Amino acid sequence: DWQKMAAKSLHPEQFVSEGLYSYCRHPNYFGEILYHFGMLLNGLPACETWIEVILSSIAPGMLTWVMFGATKSLEKKQLSRYGANQMYLAYRAITPVLLPFFGSKS
């Protein structure tokens, strides 16, 4: 968040496309997903049955679903705010939405 706050303090009306935002348009959401799946992977050795693995996977799976939904909502909002900006449209064309390096760009 500090990268976005620093950029917005200098240029409040400009979209942020540097730092982590050069890898994906929603790095905070991506970080949340990574954190929760990391916690799942860390806890898997404690699971003794497949049922426990499945039950342990529910929360990270639901969080991922929520993050993808929030991303869609925020994408619409940003497009309406910056859609007339050719630099933003170029940034959208080359920067993945949520998954760096191999995610969807639209």
Side-chain angles (χ1 to χ4, degrees):
D1 284 342
W2 67 269
Q3 285 184 347
K4 187 172 186 176
M5 288 183 354
K8 287 290 189 179
S9 69
L10 296 174
H11 306 287
E13 296 303 316
Q14 181 67 16
F15 66 95
V16 180
S17 62
E18 297 176 352
L20 294 174
Y21 291 86
S22 66
Y23 296 104
C24 72
R25 297 196 299 262
H26 304 284
N28 291 347
Y29 292 170
F30 178 64
E32 268 307 306
I33 292 168
L34 280 181
Y35 172 79
H36 287 279
F37 273 98
M39 294 299 288
L40 171 65
L41 291 175
N42 189 48
L44 282 181
C47 294
E48 296 179 358
T49 67
W50 282 105
I51 295 292
E52 290 175 348
V53 171
I54 292 168
L55 291 174
S56 298
S57 301
I58 291 172
M62 293 300 292
L63 176 102
T64 300
W65 180 71
V66 167
M67 290 295 135
F68 272 92
T71 299
K72 286 181 184 179
S73 173
L74 189 53
E75 281 292 301
K76 289 177 186 176
K77 184 177 176 182
Q78 288 181 331
L79 188 57
S80 69
R81 183 172 184 183
Y82 304 116
N85 184 331
Q86 291 301 314
M87 288 175 41
Y88 176 72
L89 296 176
Y91 168 71
R92 268 180 67 99
I94 63 170
T95 309
V97 177
L98 188 58
L99 304 175
F101 308 113
F102 57 86
S104 171
K105 294 181 177 53
S106 60

